[in-house]
Amino acid sequence: MSIVRKIEIDGQDVLFKASAAIPRIYRLKFQRDIYKDLRILEKSIGEGDEENSNLDLFSLEMFENIAYTMAKHADPQIPNEVDEWLDGFNTFSIYQVLPQLIELWGLNVQTDVEAKKTSPN
């Protein structure tokens, strides 16, 4: 089961999809663990205050990669490269989008856990 959410970025509605396939897709494309990267990003942005955040360029790249993976999973028509996809936006605020992606991922994980609890096995 997957969850799809529409998030507005730079005046455009962008679909993002969270499912059990995301960690594998992310690992294959970027050779990284999405769970670890989301935890790092969540800590880095703190309360969402740009002036007190600990974001560096590597963190921004992780965010872009996670957003791209979830968007590409929702819409296969998105370009095959992150840079091409990002070129379609003038602005892309981590402080606006990341909390929504974390929430979407949390809903997906919650759905997986509930499904396991109700299993007849």
Side-chain angles (χ1 to χ4, degrees), residues 44-70:
S44 294
I45 65 165
E47 298 297 315
D49 179 7
E50 293 182 45
E51 296 190 17
N52 294 320
S53 74
N54 297 318
L55 288 172
D56 56 14
L57 289 176
F58 184 69
S59 296
L60 291 173
E61 186 175 337
M62 277 192 307
F63 159 69
E64 293 163 350
N65 292 343
I66 290 169
Y68 169 80
T69 302
M70 295 174 88

Side-chain angles (χ1 to χ4, degrees), residues 86-117:
L86 290 171
D87 276 345
F89 306 99
N90 290 320
T91 60
F92 200 112
S93 173
I94 188 171
Y95 300 99
Q96 294 173 352
V97 179
L98 181 60
Q100 294 182 72
L101 292 182
I102 290 171
E103 181 182 340
L104 175 61
W105 184 248
L107 292 171
N108 177 65
V109 173
Q110 180 181 12
T111 300
D112 287 348
V113 170
E114 288 174 5
K116 289 178 185 175
K117 288 180 183 175

Side-chain angles (χ1 to χ4, degrees), residues 3-57:
I3 299 175
V4 178
R5 175 176 286 173
K6 193 181 301 185
I7 299 174
E8 186 178 317
I9 301 172
D10 191 30
Q12 301 177 47
D13 286 334
V14 180
L15 290 178
F16 291 89
K17 183 176 180 180
S19 77
I22 289 291
R24 179 179 173 79
I25 295 166
Y26 186 76
R27 185 176 58 250
L28 290 171
K29 177 103 175 137
F30 302 107
Q31 291 76 50
R32 298 194 50 82
D33 181 334
I34 195 167
Y35 294 103
K36 288 180 183 177
D37 289 353
L38 280 170
R39 264 194 311 272
I40 290 168
L41 289 173
E42 199 169 17
K43 289 178 185 175
S44 294
I45 65 165
E47 298 297 315
D49 179 7
E50 293 182 45
E51 296 190 17
N52 294 320
S53 74
N54 297 318
L55 288 172
D56 56 14
L57 289 176

Side-chain angles (χ1 to χ4, degrees), residues 71-85:
K72 178 75 172 167
H73 192 46
D75 180 3
Q77 300 302 313
I78 286 176
N80 289 327
E81 295 303 320
V82 179
D83 294 342
E84 288 179 57
W85 179 62

